[in-house]
Amino acid sequence: VQRHESEYAVKPLSVSEQFRKIGRHKGIFASVLLLCLLLSAIAGMFVKPSYEAKSTVVAYQLPTDPGNPNTIGQRIDIETESSVASSKEVTDAAAAKLNPDNENLGKQIRSNMQVSGHSQTAVMDIFVTNSDPQKAADMANAVAQSYLDVRSQHMQDAIKSASDNAQAQIDASGSDEAKKVLNEKKAQIQVTSTNPGRIVSQASAPSDSQSRGMPIYLAIGAVAGLLLGALAAYLADRGSKKVAYSDRFEEISARKVSVVPENNKAEGMRRVLRRIGAPEGDLAAAGLGGITVYSTDSALSSEVYEELKQVLPAKSTNFATASAFESIESGSSVKRVVDAKTPIVIETAADTDLSKLLLAAEATGALLVVANSSSNHRELKEFFDSADFSESTTVVPVFLNEK
């Protein structure tokens, strides 16, 4: 019997079987998919397109202190200049050029711009994004020009400060020779270049949007819908309170399930008999004391009991109804009755004591646990978790297929 039963060992669920679980809930799957597609389409309709414009600037070297010859010829720190270009001073100046009446324009520019300096060079790119391609280009150009203007103005202010300082030194000096030197220094300061750089490339209105188009949104919605729909369908299948399908019964029982079709119950029951080693219905020849039939729904065990009466030889098989079995005392009486009536088919009620049921199953050698699509998942799970079947008992889950 053990060798025969190993033939029906439960195998891990394949990918196709997992997909079949999802396929049982096509309505849930389709609803989630359509919802995701609808939401993605709405997002694609209402999300404004975004255009990015780029202006490129090269910064010329300027002394940090016109009064100090040692600062002339110093290398430009492009990271510092990039920070200056994106500063509030520069962006507010750019906003004033574009629309002096809009107080929030400077903040808007700062939140939608990026300055990227080219490493080891004095070149930087100014990127500005906007829903209007022309406005994006205008903002990028305004920031570039404002950066140069601010840088030039700072240099002019530094030259004036250094020149004023030199003049103060000249006025305070009492030596003609010292005044001559200071006048030469002042002259050098005044001829210091204030050219901050130039715009290498003016931004033009971009033709292509940086935003995702409707096809991209729909593709994202489709992928999300497939994943979420599959998850929702899988969870719905796992969370069902009913057994619903034979493979769920297989998961509960951890055993291969014998399916008895509605349109050919006799053939289905003969396959069950083959499972227990009695394909021709000779239970004694199979070494069995009989068959015990149980279900958490008494009507199902009664249905299988009646089917067994049709396929088993009546002359050589005894039958005990649920009421007859309940009249037997628990303990050794169960085994004595089975031994006296071998082979015997015992029908049990849903509320039969588990210990008494297990005694009957051990005595007969075969236990059929019956369920259908409406059977309670929790009750069956509790039964199989609680039942401590004897190694000599062949347990066969039987699923009555209603289709």
Side-chain angles (χ1 to χ4, degrees):
V1 172
Q2 290 177 342
R3 285 197 304 272
H4 180 76
E5 188 64 17
S6 66
E7 178 185 346
Y8 300 96
V10 177
K11 299 177 181 178
L13 293 180
S14 65
V15 174
S16 61
E17 289 170 328
Q18 297 288 5
F19 275 110
R20 190 168 67 248
K21 286 186 176 185
I22 295 172
R24 295 174 187 148
H25 305 276
K26 295 182 180 68
I28 294 176
F29 179 82
S31 297
V32 174
L33 176 59
L34 291 175
L35 177 62
C36 289
L37 286 172
L38 178 61
L39 292 176
S40 62
I42 293 174
M45 292 172 58
F46 286 94
V47 173
K48 293 182 179 180
S50 178
Y51 296 89
E52 183 180 75
K54 181 183 78 170
S55 179
T56 303
V57 175
V58 59
Y60 293 157
Q61 190 279 328
L62 294 175
T64 56
D65 183 2
N68 184 357
N70 294 328
T71 63
I72 298 175
Q74 286 183 338
R75 189 172 184 174
I76 289 178
D77 185 348
I78 195 62
E79 292 186 4
T80 301
E81 296 304 318
S82 297
S83 298
V84 172
S86 58
S87 66
K88 185 176 185 299
E89 181 181 13
V90 171
T91 52
D92 283 350
K97 292 177 183 292
L98 295 169
N99 187 354
D101 296 328
N102 189 344
E103 297 180 354
N104 297 319
L105 185 56
K107 183 178 180 181
Q108 179 185 343
I109 293 174
R110 285 193 297 278
S111 62
N112 292 282
M113 71 171 289
Q114 180 182 357
V115 181
S116 176
H118 294 215
S119 179
Q120 306 299 319
T121 70
V123 179
M124 69 180 80
D125 294 324
I126 299 172
F127 300 93
V128 178
T129 57
N130 194 274
S131 57
D132 186 321
Q134 188 57 55
K135 286 184 178 180
D138 292 343
M139 288 179 181
N141 290 328
V143 170
Q145 187 58 56
S146 295
Y147 162 73
L148 296 177
D149 292 345
V150 168
R151 193 163 187 255
S152 177
Q153 185 60 51
H154 285 176
M155 193 68 247
Q156 291 176 29
D157 293 342
I159 291 173
K160 184 177 184 306
S161 177
S163 179
D164 292 344
N165 185 47
Q167 183 61 51
Q169 291 177 348
I170 293 171
D171 295 340
S173 177
S175 168
D176 291 339
E177 185 65 27
K179 287 183 178 182
K180 180 180 178 181
V181 172
L182 290 170
N183 277 318
E184 290 176 357
K185 179 181 178 180
K186 179 181 178 182
Q188 291 176 350
I189 292 172
Q190 290 176 336
V191 297
T192 300
S193 174
T194 60
N195 187 358
R198 64 187 180 89
I199 298 176
V200 178
S201 175
Q202 288 271 355
S204 58
S207 57
D208 296 328
S209 171
Q210 296 292 108
S211 303
R212 301 181 180 94
M214 181 62 75
I216 299 298
Y217 277 99
L218 290 176
I220 293 174
V223 172
L226 289 172
L227 294 175
L228 294 176
L231 177 61
Y234 181 80
L235 292 177
D237 187 79
R238 297 294 297 178
S240 175
K241 294 182 179 181
K242 297 181 179 180
V243 173
Y245 306 96
S246 61
D247 57 355
R248 288 199 78 199
F249 191 23
E250 189 169 285
E251 292 177 13
I252 297 169
S253 64
R255 293 168 174 83
K256 183 70 176 179
V257 171
S258 289
V259 178
V260 177
E262 173 68 24
N263 58 358
N264 197 348
K265 292 181 180 180
E267 176 59 26
M269 292 311 303
R270 292 188 184 97
R271 290 200 297 265
V272 173
L273 292 175
R274 181 178 180 275
R275 283 282 302 274
I276 62 176
E280 296 181 359
D282 192 343
L283 300 180
L288 296 171
I291 301 173
T292 302
V293 184
Y294 171 77
S295 175
T296 55
D297 181 351
S298 296
L300 298 182
S301 58
S302 178
E303 182 177 344
V304 169
Y305 174 79
E306 293 298 326
E307 289 297 326
L308 287 172
K309 290 174 69 175
Q310 300 299 318
V311 298
L312 289 172
K315 292 183 179 181
S316 60
T317 308
N318 294 303
F319 294 89
T321 62
S323 58
F325 177 69
E326 289 302 314
S327 66
I328 302 172
E329 295 181 4
S330 299
S332 60
S333 297
V334 173
K335 189 175 187 309
R336 283 199 302 270
V337 169
V338 172
D339 290 342
K341 299 290 186 178
T342 297
I344 184 171
V345 176
I346 300 175
E347 175 193 3
T348 62
D351 57 356
T352 298
D353 291 339
L354 180 59
S355 59
K356 186 176 181 180
L357 173 64
L358 294 177
L359 284 173
E362 184 177 359
T364 56
L367 172 64
L368 307 186
V369 182
V370 188
N372 66 3
S373 60
S374 300
S375 295
N376 187 282
H377 183 284
R378 180 182 56 80
E379 291 177 352
L380 283 168
K381 184 72 168 58
E382 289 177 352
F383 170 75
F384 279 101
D385 288 344
S386 302
D388 184 15
F389 300 113
S390 170
E391 292 183 2
S392 61
T393 303
T394 300
V395 181
V396 179
V398 177
F399 186 82
L400 301 181
N401 198 341
E402 300 167 357
K403 295 182 180 180

